[in-house]
Amino acid sequence: MTESANLLKTPFYDLHVEAGARMVPFAGYDMPVQYPLGIKKEHLHTREKAGLFDVSHMGQVKLKGEKAAQALEALVPVDIIDLPLLKQRYALFTNDQGGVLDDLMVTSVEDGLFLVVNAACKEQDIAHLKANLDSSVEVQVLDDKALLALQGPEAKTVMAKLAPESESMVFMTAKSLEIGGIPCFVTRSGYTGEDGFEISVAKDQAEALAKLLLADDAVEWIGLGARDSLRLEAGLCLYGHELATDITPIEASLNWAISKARRPDGERAGGYPGADIIGSQMQSGAPRKRVALLPQGKMPVRDGAEIVTEDQTLVGVVTSGGFGPSLNAPIAIALLDSKVVQSQQPLFAMVRGKAIPVEITSLPFVKQNYYRGV
């Protein structure tokens, strides 16, 4: 049996193949990495119009029960208890060492919480929830749902034509909508740095919804390749790269993701795995820090490249790197020794034995265009 035969397929598989996608194994699924348009043009199309992403491989989970918010809050350094109805928040599952088990999106819904977790981590996340949540909280895995992301400056116009109620939504809010008559649960969010929507829909109506969205001239399928370059330009962390079990949220420069109420001086401080370590790093600093790098020249600096000083001292490693089509230049994110970040000394990325000068810059590489209202 071939490797492909063992891979799972999303409800959009036939549409991807029909559209000419190059399919690759990803997190146990046969997923489109690019379409005939090519990664660079797909990337630029999303920045200029609207890209449609199949993200059905990600996990969708509902937590039901009166104590759902209290129970989840004990697993994340985030204020879940006071999350308003139909508002969304970025969260992190942490371990006892302060490392990150996964990052996730949490939305407050009428009967509990709606979670979206990473594809590669979803089985462990579900086991983590079942093992650690109060027994009164039901963990419902939404295997009957597909997930699409519509991203880009024209996403709002496309959605408004099919679901006028979407116009009242702002970044990190949610609403149950009918899109062209198809019932969906929609959040105004995404992972490209652009305004856009993530749309949860029943699997048996998923293909009809995709065709409806693709019928708009502004919308094109976008594959995993451009999804990664878009999130890299937007300065967003990717699990397995900037986030891992041995990287704390503070090292990943995600201090903003630790809610005020859960910080060492907050009204509900600590109480989550690794709280002592994360709290200490918030107050005294972490040994490493995630930074943005601009390599000089045109040669991309890829994941795993070592960062050294002029005297060849190893001071860090690139966690994500590639070419930024919007910037028309190579870009990278790295974990560096915190003392080096502050020293402003010359730094170099080692690529095939050659030292490429790199300059620390600020994140994001391109302006984020989330819609926060007028």
Side-chain angles (χ1 to χ4, degrees), residues 289-339:
K289 183 177 174 60
R290 178 174 66 104
V291 299
L293 298 177
L294 286 176
Q296 293 183 16
K298 290 292 185 183
M299 182 182 291
V301 174
R302 305 290 183 186
D303 314 5
E306 294 183 337
I307 303 298
V308 300
T309 59
E310 262 183 322
D311 64 1
Q312 297 291 299
T313 301
L314 178 64
V315 293
V317 64
V318 170
T319 51
S320 293
F323 192 79
S326 306
L327 297 173
N328 195 31
I331 54 177
I333 294 175
L335 268 180
L336 296 187
D337 184 304
S338 294
K339 294 177 182 174

Side-chain angles (χ1 to χ4, degrees), residues 248-264:
T248 72
I250 311 307
E251 290 176 313
S253 299
L254 292 176
N255 302 49
W256 60 266
I258 314 298
S259 298
K260 185 177 179 182
R262 312 302 310 284
R263 297 182 180 191

Side-chain angles (χ1 to χ4, degrees), residues 42-272:
E42 290 173 30
H43 178 115
L44 295 173
H45 181 89
T46 305
R47 290 271 183 254
E48 294 163 4
K49 293 186 177 180
L52 187 65
F53 303 75
D54 177 5
V55 285
S56 304
H57 56 310
M58 301 183 79
Q60 300 182 67
V61 180
K62 178 80 77 68
L63 303 184
K64 300 172 75 171
E66 290 185 8
K67 296 181 180 178
Q70 290 89 338
L72 181 63
E73 187 168 293
L75 298 180
V76 299
V78 178
D79 177 1
I80 302 296
I81 291 173
D82 292 328
L83 180 62
L85 182 65
L86 297 178
K87 294 289 180 63
Q88 191 176 44
R89 195 159 281 162
Y90 178 76
L92 302 153
F93 286 131
T94 52
N95 61 23
D96 290 339
Q97 292 72 46
V100 177
L101 296 171
D102 196 12
D103 61 341
L104 65 153
M105 302 299 291
V106 183
T107 306
S108 174
V109 293
E110 287 189 357
D111 56 349
L113 299 168
F114 171 69
L115 315 183
V116 177
V117 301
N118 281 305
C121 302
K122 64 182 175 184
E123 297 303 328
Q124 73 177 40
D125 289 345
I126 292 163
H128 183 60
L129 289 166
K130 289 182 176 177
N132 291 287
L133 293 183
D134 185 289
S135 59
S136 67
V137 180
E138 179 188 353
V139 180
Q140 181 182 6
V141 182
L142 305 180
D143 285 332
D144 58 340
K145 301 288 187 183
L147 193 65
L148 284 171
L150 182 68
Q151 302 282 294
E154 293 193 25
K156 61 184 178 186
T157 308
V158 175
M159 280 288 284
K161 292 176 193 171
L162 299 167
E165 287 182 77
S166 64
E167 291 186 281
S168 64
M169 298 174 68
V170 297
F171 184 53
M172 301 293 270
T173 62
K175 189 172 280 190
S176 292
L177 296 175
E178 285 199 356
I179 302 177
I182 299 174
C184 300
F185 183 72
V186 179
T187 59
R188 194 155 189 171
S189 59
Y191 221 61
T192 62
E194 296 297 328
D195 181 23
F197 303 85
E198 291 200 344
I199 307 165
S200 178
V201 60
K203 278 186 174 178
D204 60 2
Q205 298 194 71
E207 187 172 312
L209 175 64
K211 287 180 175 177
L212 200 58
L213 295 167
L214 289 163
D216 194 301
D217 289 341
V219 180
E220 293 280 355
W221 275 125
I222 308 296
L224 293 172
R227 180 172 170 79
D228 190 50
S229 59
L230 287 158
R231 76 91 198 164
L232 177 58
E233 279 190 345
L236 301 171
C237 292
L238 181 64
Y239 196 81
H241 293 251
E242 289 74 37
L243 299 174
T245 54
D246 60 350
I247 301 173
T248 72
I250 311 307
E251 290 176 313
S253 299
L254 292 176
N255 302 49
W256 60 266
I258 314 298
S259 298
K260 185 177 179 182
R262 312 302 310 284
R263 297 182 180 191
D265 57 350
E267 61 190 56
R268 295 196 303 280
Y272 59 88

Side-chain angles (χ1 to χ4, degrees), residues 346-368:
L347 296 173
F348 304 86
M350 299 305 298
V351 180
R352 296 193 291 274
K354 185 176 180 181
I356 307 294
V358 296
E359 179 184 342
I360 295 177
T361 188
S362 56
L363 286 169
F365 292 101
V366 299
K367 179 177 174 288
Q368 294 172 337

